[in-house]
Amino acid sequence: NAGVTQTPKFQVLKTGQSMTLQCAQDMNHEYMSWYRQDPGMGLRLIHYSVGAGITDQGEVPNGYNVSRSTTEDFPLRLLSAAPSQTSVYFCASSLALGLAAYEQYFGPGTRLTVT
Amino acid sequence: RKEVEQDPGPFNVPEGATVAFNCTYSNSASQSFFWYRQDCRKEPKLLMSVYSSGNEDGRFTAQLNRASQYISLLIRDSKLSDSATYLCVVNIKPGGGADGLTFGKGTHLIIQP
């Protein structure tokens, strides 16, 4: 199993550009999530999904869109990039059963810089 | 008061020593507790869950103190490979789901030879 994969690993955008961060998992996990991690801050939840076709907002959803058309894929779209979105983005997945739901399997991350 | 607080460190500890650090949480309704480990420029990985009765996994021991609202992580006989950032994670929502998880900012541990 590849686990959780993310592409690209690095990205530089200009202010106002849009792009999609890709995330895929091959563990048949129901739950998938997107986080951002900034220096001096804990991981913050952007959006999450409890299954195909179902998404919901996390703590910091503004400026981001998600969709979940399949169990495996959960792309994150930046609508109009801003310097405040410079961050490391982690995608995560987990099972939906009891305590296992809390074990988040993270992808390797995407380092995004917006100039 | 922040929801989950950790001493950011760094904790500089000689190899072979015992080190412990705590994490305090503010929500008394918190359901579940976890320690994650994050290596430099890598993704976080679950280290261990923290049960009410305490939890031991090899050199690692995690404890929960609900009365004082903190969890702790003790590392015995520390190894160079233990150098990492340790994230405290608290869940406030029964039934699971990422939306119930709050991550601390992490404690940076450096094991010195």
Side-chain angles (χ1 to χ4, degrees), chain B residues 33-100:
Chain B
F33 310 87
F34 309 88
W35 285 103
Y36 276 71
R37 171 194 168 126
Q38 186 172 22
D39 293 315
C40 187
R41 299 178 74 83
K42 298 286 190 182
E43 70 273 22
K45 293 184 181 177
L46 179 67
L47 177 66
M48 58 198 308
S49 303
V50 187
Y51 304 127
S52 296
S53 56
N55 189 22
E56 186 172 318
D57 183 3
R59 297 182 294 107
F60 296 82
T61 300
Q63 301 254 319
L64 166 64
N65 186 317
R66 281 198 184 271
S68 300
Q69 295 185 201
Y70 73 88
I71 65 172
S72 63
L73 180 67
L74 178 90
I75 306 174
R76 288 182 298 277
D77 187 23
S78 53
K79 312 288 185 195
L80 295 176
S81 56
D82 294 334
S83 297
T85 297
Y86 291 84
L87 308 178
C88 169
V89 183
V90 175
N91 175 61
I92 61 170
K93 178 182 164 186
D99 56 316

Side-chain angles (χ1 to χ4, degrees), chain A residues 1-114:
Chain A
N1 283 355
V4 180
T5 57
Q6 291 183 237
T7 57
K9 285 189 167 50
F10 302 93
Q11 183 71 49
V12 179
L13 290 178
K14 291 185 175 3
T15 297
Q17 287 184 314
S18 63
M19 78 159 293
T20 299
L21 307 185
Q22 301 293 343
C23 174
Q25 53 93 8
D26 61 359
M27 297 174 284
N28 204 30
H29 284 172
E30 295 91 338
Y31 287 178
M32 294 188 76
S33 317
W34 276 102
Y35 295 86
R36 60 178 290 173
Q37 187 174 40
D38 302 294
M41 308 281 290
L43 283 155
R44 292 183 292 168
L45 184 66
I46 304 171
H47 285 285
Y48 65 100
S49 167
V50 299
I54 306 169
T55 64
D56 209 340
Q57 297 181 348
E59 182 187 352
V60 289
N62 292 342
Y64 308 94
N65 271 355
V66 291
S67 59
R68 183 106 180 262
S69 55
T70 67
T71 299
E72 294 78 20
D73 300 297
F74 192 42
L76 177 73
R77 183 164 179 81
L78 278 71
L79 307 173
S80 177
S84 60
Q85 293 179 304
T86 293
S87 187
V88 180
Y89 291 84
F90 288 104
C91 178
S93 71
S94 68
L95 289 168
L97 296 172
L99 270 182
Y102 307 130
E103 181 172 0
Q104 303 278 298
Y105 289 80
F106 286 88
T110 294
R111 294 182 178 275
L112 175 69
T113 302
V114 183

